[in-house]
């Protein structure tokens, strides 16, 4: 449950070897307390970056993770937590609207509210900040420091940027998206940073995370995930009954759409179903949305 899912075709030659290696890597990750920063330092992003746009790798990994899974965020969060809603009452659709096209400035993210709600007398909002790929390695280092400064302001545990890592991880086909949430207008400690395909490239990877499991924010944990552009609605059916619905929205010119929701307390998801605009099922998974 701690890997991004990839989409694509079939693998051959060197790609098959890469697929096997990535599959072994995904299977070896501890879903409990493995820190996100250590995963990055260990080379997950390098492996993903090198094969992100390879259709062959995509096909095998999507089969291995059943179409979609949660990604560990900062401090190794598991997927999802609790929500203050009646089991029989679906959550209302997010109030966010698709963002208008903007210039791709690597030093100024496109920031979109993907969902909001109230819980325990507080107002929460889920956000996705898209950082367009930097044009050079030097700019990538500057961007990494800007992202880190923004995250550090809410969480002093975020580690400093290592210049050689920022430069070696740079890829002209890869954007960064930062998931985070606010409570009563204040950004909370937990967040999650993901590498995603830039526009014009093969839309090969996207991930999700549960935020708020390690630091009490006064509201239930918030789940944010990226999905394929054709997904028009996400429906979570809970094991104890009831459903929660969410509507993905655009974030800048990202080839993906993003949604957020809060989980029902005391239960895991039975299924997560992704619907297209015509009402047909794009895919269904029963593995990634968890409360523990």
């Amino acid at each position: 449950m701690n890997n991004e899912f990839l989409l694509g075709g079939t693998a051959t030659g060197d790609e098959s070897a890469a697929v096997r290696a990535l599959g072994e890597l995904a299977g070896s990750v501890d879903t409990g307390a493995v820190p996100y920063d250590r995963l990055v330092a260990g080379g997950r992003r390098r492996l993903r970056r090198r094969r992100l746009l390879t259709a062959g790798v995509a096909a095998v990994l999507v089969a291995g993770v059943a179409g979609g899974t949660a990604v560990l965020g900062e401090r190794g969060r598991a997927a999802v937590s609790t929500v203050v809603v009646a089991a029989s009452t679906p959550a209302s659709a997010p109030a966010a609207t698709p963002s208008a096209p903007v210039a791709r400035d690597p030093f100024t993210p496109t920031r979109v509210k993907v969902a909001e709600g109230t819980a325990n007398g507080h107002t929460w909002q889920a956000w996705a900040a898209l950082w367009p790929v930097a044009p050079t390695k030097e700019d990538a280092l500057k961007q990494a420091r800007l992202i880190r400064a923004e995250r550090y302001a809410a969480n002093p545990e975020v580690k400093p940027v290592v210049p050689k890592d920022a430069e070696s991880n740079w890829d002209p086909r890869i954007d960064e998206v930062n998931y985070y949430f606010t409570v009563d207008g204040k950004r909370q400690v937990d967040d999650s940073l993901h590498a995603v395909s830039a526009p014009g490239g093969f839309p090969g990877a996207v991930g999700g995370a549960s935020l708020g499991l390690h630091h009490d924010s006064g509201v239930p944990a918030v789940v944010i995930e990226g999905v394929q552009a054709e997904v028009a609605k996400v429906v979570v059916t809970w094991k104890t009954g009831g459903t929660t619905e969410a509507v993905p929205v655009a974030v800048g010119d990202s080839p993906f759409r993003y949604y957020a929701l809060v989980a029902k307390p005391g239960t895991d998801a039975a299924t997560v179903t992704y619907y297209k605009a015509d009402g047909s099922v794009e895919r269904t998974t029963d593995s990634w949305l968890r409360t523990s």
Side-chain angles (χ1 to χ4, degrees), residues 131-149:
W131 293 80
V133 62
T136 67
K137 290 184 178 182
E138 292 74 16
D139 287 338
L141 175 58
K142 178 180 177 181
Q143 181 190 72
R145 286 171 170 162
L146 288 172
I147 295 173
R148 190 261 179 179

Side-chain angles (χ1 to χ4, degrees), residues 4-88:
E4 286 132 355
F5 61 80
L6 305 180
L7 308 173
T10 57
T12 59
D14 294 339
E15 293 169 2
S16 296
V19 167
R20 290 194 296 272
L22 288 176
E24 293 171 0
L25 176 63
S28 67
V29 175
D30 182 354
T31 59
V34 179
Y36 176 80
D37 289 328
R38 194 173 71 198
L39 289 177
V40 173
R44 178 177 59 81
R45 290 179 60 195
R46 292 186 181 88
L47 286 172
R48 185 177 65 249
R49 186 186 75 248
R50 290 168 186 163
R51 295 296 180 180
L52 182 62
L53 307 183
T54 301
V57 175
V60 176
L61 289 185
V62 72
V65 298
T69 123
V71 175
L72 292 178
E74 186 72 35
R75 296 176 59 83
R77 282 178 295 282
V80 274
S81 180
T82 58
V83 66
V84 183
V85 235
S88 59

Side-chain angles (χ1 to χ4, degrees), residues 86-167:
S88 59
T89 305
S92 59
T97 56
S99 59
V102 295
R104 291 180 60 78
D105 181 353
F107 308 128
T108 304
T110 297
R111 205 179 303 274
V112 174
K113 179 176 64 179
V114 297
E116 64 182 350
T118 58
N120 301 335
H122 299 283
T123 298
W124 62 267
Q125 297 179 336
W127 294 83
L130 180 71
W131 293 80
V133 62
T136 67
K137 290 184 178 182
E138 292 74 16
D139 287 338
L141 175 58
K142 178 180 177 181
Q143 181 190 72
R145 286 171 170 162
L146 288 172
I147 295 173
R148 190 261 179 179
E150 188 172 289
R151 300 176 68 206
Y152 181 82
N155 181 9
E157 296 180 10
V158 175
K159 293 180 173 60
V161 173
V162 178
K164 66 177 182 179
D165 288 343
E167 293 174 357

Side-chain angles (χ1 to χ4, degrees), residues 1-8 36 44 48 51-53 58 61-62 65 67-72 128 130 174-179 192-198 202-209 224-231 248-249 251 254-259 274 282-283 288:
M1 75 114 187
N2 56 335
N3 299 311
E4 286 132 355
F5 61 80
L6 305 180
L7 308 173
Y36 176 80
R44 178 177 59 81
R48 185 177 65 249
R51 295 296 180 180
L52 182 62
L53 307 183
L61 289 185
V62 72
V65 298
T69 123
V71 175
L72 292 178
L130 180 71
I174 305 300
D175 291 339
E176 298 274 2
V177 62
N178 185 202
Y179 300 149
S192 185
L193 186 64
H194 299 259
V196 298
S197 302
F202 182 83
V206 68
I224 309 176
E225 186 189 17
V227 295
Q228 300 92 331
E230 60 266 28
V231 174
V249 300
V251 176
S254 174
F256 301 105
R257 298 295 181 267
Y258 300 83
Y259 75 90
Y274 304 83
E282 194 274 337
R283 72 181 184 279
W288 82 265

